[in-house]
Amino acid sequence: MAHHDLSGLRVAVLAADGVEQVELTSPREKLEDHGADVEVISLRPGSIQAMNMLIPGKKIRVDRTVFTANPDDYDALLLPGGLVGPDLLRQSERALDFVRSFDRVGKPIAVICHGPWLLVSAGLVRGRKLTSWPGIRDDVRNAGGLWKNESRVRDRNWVSSRGPHDLRSFNRAMVELFAEHAPAAEGGAGVSLGGLVAGGLALAALGYGLRQMQGGDGGGAHPRGEIHEEPVRGIATAETASHVETGARL
């Protein structure tokens, strides 16, 4: 997998008791390896009971609840699966609103296994391409979704996979999707743009200063002997500094 820098990216993992353990821990580990800051959001504080299919797994610490977490504070959303966890979450209107907040503004969502239940109950599936655990295929289709039997499906700001056997492909696709929205990538583009703007304004200011040297009022150039070197440098420098400062703020 190519290295994608997710530094500064804040990811919310929405999970509840009964979450499929590996579908939370494996993607979280991969995201953290790439520099993302990952928090587990649930219905109650403390910890949640993860599962390995029908066998209890480990307890996973909850960072915030859907009642205290602000979706605006996160850049991406991960919805792991499990037989019980997604079903508990889909019964919470607060959890559904949390999911809707991400999709409403086009933030990336990675979803696997039974996780699409949340997208179905949130009313977001109609017309979207996705996959899921085969057992909820009919739920996706009945909600108007276009179900695909593939290891991973990308549709705009969503990437989805069927289950634990697809995790390697899912993790790769999730990182690629989230990297498109990472602050590191967006910040780099912003700095470059700001530099171009500042440089362009500086050149424009320099040109203005030179025109002033030659008589910017259109009355023709002054004789060579009437050009005063020191004031001209002062004008050009002041104009350049002003425009560069403005460009930096852009």
Side-chain angles (χ1 to χ4, degrees):
M1 181 190 299
H3 183 77
H4 295 283
D5 186 7
L6 300 183
S7 299
L9 187 83
R10 297 197 67 194
V11 181
V13 182
L14 187 57
D17 288 310
V19 63
E20 188 68 26
Q21 181 172 302
V22 71
E23 292 175 355
L24 189 158
T25 57
S26 175
R28 179 173 66 178
E29 180 180 349
K30 187 62 64 176
L31 289 169
E32 291 175 341
D33 285 347
H34 286 265
D37 180 15
V38 184
E39 290 190 347
V40 175
I41 314 298
S42 194
L43 299 172
R44 58 178 177 80
S47 62
I48 55 176
Q49 177 65 60
M51 302 290 289
N52 297 305
M53 292 295 288
L54 300 177
I55 301 172
K58 66 179 184 178
K59 295 276 190 176
I60 296 176
R61 182 174 63 86
V62 172
D63 296 292
R64 302 177 196 275
T65 72
V66 291
F67 304 99
T68 60
N70 183 350
D72 293 340
D73 293 337
Y74 301 93
D75 306 297
L77 178 64
L78 169 63
L79 300 175
L83 293 172
V84 177
D87 194 36
L88 291 175
L89 288 166
R90 73 192 298 202
Q91 298 175 58
S92 166
E93 193 60 33
R94 196 65 176 258
L96 296 180
D97 282 342
F98 192 83
V99 173
R100 293 183 188 113
S101 295
F102 282 82
D103 196 59
R104 186 180 301 120
V105 294
K107 290 181 180 179
I109 298 175
V111 57
I112 187 170
C113 194
H114 288 71
W117 261 342
L118 281 139
L119 301 176
V120 168
S121 293
L124 302 175
V125 166
R126 182 168 299 279
R128 302 295 298 266
K129 292 183 295 185
L130 69 158
T131 191
S132 69
W133 187 254
I136 66 169
R137 169 181 52 203
D138 291 344
D139 296 337
V140 171
R141 287 175 171 168
N142 290 338
L146 307 174
W147 192 85
K148 303 289 184 180
N149 186 24
E150 299 173 11
S151 63
R152 62 177 181 177
V153 176
R154 171 75 184 268
D155 183 11
R156 304 202 303 271
N157 61 315
W158 294 4
V159 65
S160 56
S161 286
R162 296 168 298 190
H165 57 295
D166 291 330
L167 271 171
R168 186 170 183 177
S169 178
F170 175 72
N171 287 343
R172 184 183 304 113
M174 172 190 64
V175 169
E176 290 172 355
L177 172 62
F178 287 6
E180 296 173 13
H181 299 260
E186 295 175 356
V191 170
S192 176
L193 178 60
L196 289 172
V197 171
L201 290 173
L203 288 174
L206 181 58
Y208 173 79
L210 291 174
R211 287 196 299 273
Q212 293 300 306
M213 290 171 57
Q214 298 172 354
D217 59 359
H222 294 297
R224 183 181 298 271
E226 293 182 18
I227 297 177
H228 299 287
E229 187 71 7
E230 192 62 31
V232 168
R233 282 205 306 270
I235 291 172
T237 302
E239 289 289 330
T240 302
S242 173
H243 286 290
V244 168
E245 182 180 356
T246 302
R249 287 197 298 267
L250 294 176

